Amino acid sequence: MGPDDTFSVQGNGSTDVRVRTRPRTDVSAISISPNATIEQAIACIDLSGSLSIALIVDDDGRLLNTITDGDVRRGLLAGLALADSVSVLIAIKSSMPHPLPVTAPPGADADTLLHLMSARAVRQIPIVKEDGQVLDVVTFDDLHPDHQPPALQAVVMAGGFGTRLAPLTEHTPKPMLPVDGRPLIEHVVEQLRATGVKKINISTHYRAEQIMGHFGDGSDFGVDISYIQEDTPLGTAGALGLMSVPNEPVLVINGDVLTDIDFQAMHCYHQKLGAVMTVAVRRYAVQVPYGVIESEGADIQRLREKPQLDFFVNAGIYLLEPEVYRHITVGKHLNMTDLIETLIAQGQRVVSFPVREYWLDIGQPADYERAQTDAKNGKHRARVAPV
């Protein structure tokens, strides 16, 4: 492999970096036009793997801007649809403090690149020639190949009775119901492990022995599992008071959620926004079957015929900083919604993280049937890392 086919960058001695040499990025594979849709941008970002970026280029391949996972999620929060043009995302970026992409010229050393990443809070920088052509994309992991992602542990809430799924749950806790031949909660554990989460706490109550008997200490599944036993149900947040106050952020996920969400992307989003709590949200549309009248007093101002109303709903996945635990009293019932309202009332920053990946809350028999169908058809693409 010749020098034009590999990526390599050097430090100037003031920064302790060990840079790996890897194949140069195929920039054409992660480049799209400004007329592409947001859905195409997402596909491009996913295709880029660890680069997590889409390059917006003109007809001659010159860089116009970049789109990252965070840009897409902020666009979704702003009400954009997947079919909207990526140019709308660029317009949103134009009103932000740093509307233009962070780039570096060929030959930039590691110290310069790391300084740029730190100053602009980015983890990837396109290497751009004078004519605007992108030569490569350098990531933080390229400069620090031994870097480990920030520590993150998880709590899986698996203590519910699952009464809405009766009679399936008469003798089996809902998280242990099979999906594609394996318990639902096993899919959750594998998804956590695949994204680097090794320490998992499982909150149990109803038929806890089945969950504990299946997972044990977690070693057979490549993780370290502890159990939080609720003698009486304490709510979606109250169970957290039964565990030791952590030293790192905690990811909390309902045990009946099937998802492909990128937990590390959620963690990076959480850190970048400086939140004490991040709540995963999902867009939910309601079709009103009637004409909606908008009035001012007795006077009709507007008539909307069978409108569709869009909302963001709670997706049952949360990321909490350790300081949140001081609002949780040991042994006291507390719902996550109440905890969120308490934090907001005290002026703490709680942010939304829109889920663009596959997500299914298995609360009703129809949801369970859909989970089976989706798994069979490959719609749910859980990341399974080797144990």
Side-chain angles (χ1 to χ4, degrees):
M1 182 176 288
D4 291 338
D5 298 319
T6 61
F7 160 77
S8 183
V9 65
Q10 301 299 321
N12 63 18
S14 63
T15 303
D16 182 18
V17 292
R18 289 197 309 105
V19 183
R20 68 177 176 221
T21 298
R22 60 154 171 83
R24 179 176 291 173
T25 303
D26 180 5
V27 296
S28 63
I30 58 172
S31 297
I32 56 176
S33 81
N35 296 321
T37 65
I38 293 176
E39 185 172 28
Q40 290 172 317
I42 289 173
C44 193
I45 291 169
D46 290 345
L47 179 65
S48 75
S50 61
L51 298 178
S52 191
I53 195 172
L55 306 175
I56 314 301
V57 300
D58 64 16
D59 293 339
D60 295 319
R62 292 187 293 263
L63 184 68
L64 300 174
N65 216 312
T66 58
I67 295 295
T68 64
D69 181 80
D71 294 325
V72 169
R73 296 189 199 269
R74 283 186 288 272
L76 296 178
L77 284 178
L80 300 185
L82 296 181
D84 286 336
S85 170
V86 75
S87 61
V88 185
L89 275 182
I90 297 175
I92 291 177
K93 286 188 69 173
S94 68
S95 63
M96 300 181 68
H98 302 295
L100 299 177
V102 184
T103 65
D109 62 36
D111 299 292
T112 299
L113 295 170
L114 285 170
H115 175 75
L116 280 171
M117 289 179 184
S118 176
R120 295 289 293 274
V122 297
R123 296 184 62 84
Q124 64 281 94
I125 295 180
I127 305 300
V128 181
K129 298 188 292 184
E130 288 186 2
D131 62 0
Q133 301 285 331
V134 181
L135 182 65
D136 205 342
V137 178
V138 180
T139 70
F140 181 86
D141 290 338
D142 288 327
L143 304 179
H144 283 288
D146 296 328
H147 171 73
Q148 296 296 319
L152 184 68
Q153 65 171 291
V155 175
V156 181
M157 295 295 184
F161 291 98
T163 53
R164 291 179 296 174
L165 283 175
L168 294 174
T169 52
E170 285 184 0
H171 305 290
T172 305
K174 180 165 63 170
M176 290 298 294
L177 292 176
V179 173
D180 196 27
R182 294 178 293 130
L184 167 61
I185 190 174
E186 187 175 317
H187 291 270
V188 176
V189 168
E190 288 189 340
Q191 175 72 357
L192 290 167
R193 173 172 54 84
T195 50
V197 179
K198 300 297 184 182
K199 173 64 177 175
I200 300 175
N201 305 273
I202 301 180
S203 172
T204 60
H205 176 66
Y206 176 63
R207 299 192 178 275
E209 71 283 354
Q210 293 188 30
I211 298 174
M212 297 171 69
H214 182 78
F215 287 107
D217 64 3
S219 57
D220 290 343
F221 298 86
V223 293
D224 177 13
I225 293 180
S226 300
Y227 297 92
I228 307 170
Q229 177 62 34
E230 297 180 70
D231 294 330
T232 58
L234 295 174
T236 50
L240 300 179
L242 300 179
M243 62 184 287
S244 301
V245 177
N247 295 318
E248 64 278 323
V250 174
L251 179 74
V252 181
I253 180 170
N254 292 345
D256 57 0
V257 168
L258 192 63
T259 183
D260 291 339
I261 187 173
D262 186 338
F263 297 124
Q264 288 297 342
M266 184 177 180
H267 192 192
C268 290
Y269 181 96
H270 170 84
Q271 289 182 311
K272 190 167 185 177
L273 293 182
V276 298
M277 184 174 183
T278 296
V279 181
V281 297
R282 183 77 172 181
R283 182 172 285 170
Y284 184 77
V286 177
Q287 184 72 51
V288 180
Y290 309 103
V292 173
I293 301 292
E294 296 180 3
S295 300
E296 185 175 328
D299 299 318
I300 295 178
Q301 303 295 317
R302 185 183 179 193
L303 172 63
R304 291 191 293 159
E305 185 62 29
K306 299 180 181 179
Q308 176 175 293
L309 305 180
D310 290 307
F311 305 93
F312 280 105
V313 299
N314 187 344
I317 306 170
Y318 317 88
L319 194 54
L320 287 67
E321 288 296 319
E323 63 191 86
V324 172
Y325 274 70
R326 64 187 178 90
H327 300 286
I328 303 172
T329 303
V330 177
K332 182 178 179 180
H333 187 279
L334 180 66
N335 285 323
M336 197 66 76
T337 50
D338 298 321
L339 178 59
I340 292 171
E341 290 178 352
T342 295
L343 294 171
I344 294 172
Q346 294 190 359
Q348 301 289 329
R349 190 170 197 197
V350 180
V351 303
S352 295
F353 178 80
V355 178
R356 63 171 179 79
E357 300 89 344
Y358 177 89
W359 175 90
L360 179 63
D361 172 51
I362 303 176
Q364 303 284 353
D367 301 321
Y368 184 55
E369 292 177 8
R370 178 183 167 189
Q372 304 289 3
T373 301
D374 287 351
K376 181 180 179 180
N377 296 336
K379 190 171 183 179
H380 167 55
R381 303 180 306 277
R383 310 174 192 188
V384 179
V387 176

